[in-house]
Amino acid sequence: MLKQRQRTTILELHAQGMSLHGIARSLKLSRKTVKRVVRSGRETVPRLVRPSGYEGHRDLIRELYRSCKGNLVRVHEELVAIAGMPLSYPALTAFCRSEGLTAPPAQGSGEYEFGPGKETQHDTSPHRATMAGRERPVTTASSVLCYSHLLFFQFYPAFTRFECKLFLSETHGYVGGVTETVLVDNTSVVRAWGTGKAMVVAPEMAAFAERYGYEFRAHEVGDSDRKGRVEAPFRFIEGNFLAGRSFRDFADLNAQARAWCDRVNRSYKKHIRAIPAELFAAERPALRALPAYVPPVYRLHQRVVDIYGYVNLHTNRYSVPFDWVARTVEVLEYKDHLEISDGRSVVRHVRLEEPLGRKVRLAEHQLHRPRRDSQPSLEERRLLEVAPDLADYARALRRHGRKLPTLALRQLLRLLEEYPPGAVRGAIDEAAAYGLYDLDRVERMVLRRVARDFFPLESDEDE
């Protein structure tokens, strides 16, 4: 079959007055072929229409297509089994396509061209990362500059408008500027209502974009190819960065992600035949400059201090002074820390990034109660009056004894009152030498000494 450029050449030579024999000889074609092209007068190749072997079984094929739920492999098997038709499967698919039973072959969607500084694409994707020895789900937030393909991504335990603003502010700082637009999908994190061109950005996010001088846009529903720049790297992140790596926590994970972005952006990319960092050097002058001052991203909460002196935030509890109990306080949640204010003073805490149900108490918020042993008790004063030489043993008894200090001192006083002082002091000296502070055993030692010293056996008297 002649190609279109050959048919075009034949018609052009014929229009210039060259004979059919001369055209056939110069193009090395048969005169019949040249004559057929000249008679048709068309440059396009005529479509070859051949009768299908399935023409006589149209109704049967439609019925089988419906009963087999659109599975053409099953339709072909049933046709062979029922009608004994030895026709090929490609012939069946072509026939079904011509009858409108199946969709036509997919057509190429083309490519999107972006100028320097025109657009940044942002999206999120769920992944799993190994942290602290266990695998857990994380949300990957990624952004790509459409012209230079410069990549930046971070990980979060959840992704709300707060995390979205944190990530975009880090992206703008990493790039050192902003593009005219930021393309997002139709997510409720950015939009208030509507989709595609009709998307209405949430006031909170619109104010954030206005601060940097760009606007959010969304692609139409079902047109995911529109954000292909940011969709493609997600599989690369999962199969290259996360594969075989383990991390201590989110801070370590995001620090390694930033370093990995630096390395990847300086490497050669075959699909664009360039290095993103070099393309970014050409795109950098076209970016819009960052504001002179950008206030840090924060989230505002109102809480009531509980009776234990804690403020509850995302299941974690943060300490405040005890005189704030039952007060309503404001909590400013930043990326790395919290600021808790009662209107007169501020308490700062390191922010726990995940809801772990932990208690965080600052040293200055410890409850200082007077020690019970700061003032000598009545029993201790009596013991110092009766036996001042036993003061060291009494102090050690309070620290190491198994009984309450008051009960132990009372028992020691009873021993001094009921038994001879010499026997008691001898038993205590022996107990102190061996680190013995069980007064019941000490009392048995006293009794043995009393029995030996004051009640000698009869055999001893006879001797």
Side-chain angles (χ1 to χ4, degrees):
M1 180 181 294
L2 294 179
K3 297 181 180 180
Q4 183 173 349
R5 65 173 179 271
Q6 291 176 311
R7 299 174 66 91
T8 303
T9 304
I10 291 172
L11 294 176
E12 289 180 354
L13 293 176
H14 180 70
Q16 294 174 6
M18 183 179 289
S19 65
L20 299 182
H21 180 75
I23 296 174
R25 186 171 54 187
S26 61
L27 297 181
K28 297 182 180 181
L29 298 173
S30 67
R31 282 180 291 179
K32 290 183 179 181
T33 302
V34 174
K35 188 175 182 179
R36 190 164 50 247
V37 173
V38 172
R39 283 181 179 178
S40 67
R42 295 186 306 176
E43 296 180 359
T44 58
V45 180
R47 183 179 178 183
L48 213 59
V49 179
R50 294 173 180 169
S52 174
Y54 291 104
E55 289 289 344
H57 304 278
R58 180 178 286 103
D59 296 336
L60 177 59
I61 292 175
R62 287 183 176 273
E63 180 62 29
L64 290 174
Y65 185 84
R66 189 164 44 252
S67 62
C68 294
K69 299 180 180 179
N71 190 329
L72 292 183
V73 175
R74 289 287 301 121
V75 172
H76 185 257
E77 292 175 352
E78 291 297 322
L79 285 173
V80 173
I82 296 173
M85 287 182 278
L87 298 175
S88 66
Y89 177 75
L92 175 63
T93 58
F95 175 77
C96 292
R97 214 166 24 243
S98 65
E99 293 293 320
L101 295 178
T102 58
Q107 301 295 324
S109 59
E111 297 182 354
Y112 293 98
E113 296 293 337
F114 302 97
K118 293 298 182 181
E119 182 173 293
T120 299
Q121 293 183 3
H122 159 63
D123 200 4
T124 60
S125 179
H127 288 120
R128 299 189 69 84
T130 303
M131 286 192 294
R134 67 182 183 92
E135 192 178 65
R136 53 155 300 163
V138 296
T139 300
T140 307
S142 175
S143 66
V144 176
L145 267 64
C146 293
Y147 175 78
S148 60
H149 294 255
L150 195 76
L151 172 66
F152 180 74
F153 62 91
Q154 295 282 269
F155 298 90
Y156 301 91
F159 202 76
T160 64
R161 288 178 181 171
F162 175 63
E163 283 81 13
C164 182
K165 290 189 289 186
L166 281 177
F167 172 71
L168 290 176
S169 62
E170 288 192 38
T171 299
H172 304 331
Y174 180 80
V175 173
V178 296
T179 55
E180 296 179 5
T181 61
V182 173
L183 184 77
V184 297
D185 58 4
N186 296 281
T187 172
S188 59
V189 174
V190 175
R191 70 181 179 91
W193 64 84
T195 59
K197 293 181 180 179
M199 180 189 72
V200 177
V201 182
E204 178 182 353
M205 300 305 295
F208 177 82
E210 184 180 359
R211 180 181 302 161
Y212 285 94
Y214 62 83
E215 61 179 3
F216 287 107
R217 289 183 181 175
H219 65 79
E220 298 298 330
V221 176
D223 186 18
S224 58
D225 291 339
R226 177 65 179 81
K227 56 183 177 67
R229 288 283 200 280
V230 72
E231 288 285 357
F234 281 126
R235 180 175 295 180
F236 183 43
I237 293 171
E238 182 178 13
N240 191 306
F241 175 72
L242 292 175
R245 284 186 172 91
S246 59
F247 314 93
R248 294 189 304 274
D249 48 22
F250 274 96
D252 181 37
L253 174 61
N254 288 327
Q256 292 194 40
R258 179 182 285 264
W260 192 78
C261 288
D262 293 340
R263 180 168 56 85
V264 167
N265 289 329
R266 292 193 298 267
S267 61
Y268 179 80
K269 305 298 179 186
K270 291 191 295 184
H271 63 286
I272 61 175
R273 298 182 179 180
I275 299 176
E278 294 180 355
L279 294 178
F280 176 70
E283 184 180 19
R284 182 69 181 86
L287 296 177
R288 298 181 178 180
L290 296 176
Y293 170 73
V294 178
V297 177
Y298 69 89
R299 183 163 46 184
L300 178 63
H301 310 270
Q302 283 195 341
R303 293 292 187 271
V304 177
V305 182
D306 62 20
I307 61 174
Y308 301 103
Y310 287 97
V311 171
N312 197 321
L313 185 66
H314 309 315
T315 75
N316 299 315
R317 302 172 68 191
Y318 301 89
S319 67
V320 294
F322 276 95
D323 54 359
W324 289 16
V325 170
R327 291 187 189 177
T328 300
V329 295
E330 285 188 348
V331 182
L332 296 181
E333 182 183 7
Y334 295 90
K335 178 189 175 183
D336 300 318
H337 70 281
L338 304 176
E339 293 184 359
I340 307 175
S341 172
D342 67 339
R344 289 171 292 185
S345 56
V346 177
V347 174
R348 290 173 60 93
H349 278 277
V350 176
R351 173 177 174 260
L352 298 178
E353 198 163 3
E354 298 181 77
L356 302 173
R358 292 182 181 174
K359 288 183 180 179
V360 181
R361 177 174 288 280
L362 299 180
E364 58 267 25
H365 299 156
Q366 295 289 344
L367 180 59
H368 299 288
R369 298 178 179 176
R371 292 175 56 87
R372 294 183 177 180
D373 57 352
S374 58
Q375 297 293 332
S377 61
L378 176 62
E379 289 77 9
E380 189 173 0
R381 291 197 299 270
R382 286 186 57 194
L383 181 65
L384 292 176
E385 293 175 0
V386 175
D389 55 324
L390 299 181
D392 294 338
Y393 185 79
R395 283 193 294 270
L397 180 65
R398 296 185 60 177
R399 291 194 303 269
H400 305 293
R402 296 182 179 179
K403 297 182 179 181
L404 293 175
T406 301
L407 297 180
L409 292 175
R410 288 177 183 176
Q411 186 175 1
L412 185 58
L413 285 171
R414 181 178 61 79
L415 295 179
L416 290 171
E417 292 173 356
E418 294 181 358
Y419 299 106
V424 174
R425 283 174 167 78
I428 291 177
D429 291 341
E430 185 179 358
Y434 290 99
L436 176 63
Y437 301 102
D438 184 355
L439 290 184
D440 294 333
R441 293 185 61 182
V442 172
E443 186 172 6
R444 290 196 293 270
M445 293 166 61
V446 173
L447 289 173
R448 285 197 296 269
R449 288 176 178 273
V450 171
R452 186 183 66 227
D453 296 339
F454 295 93
F455 301 98
L457 297 177
E458 295 180 358
S459 59
D460 295 338
E461 291 180 357
D462 294 342
E463 293 178 358

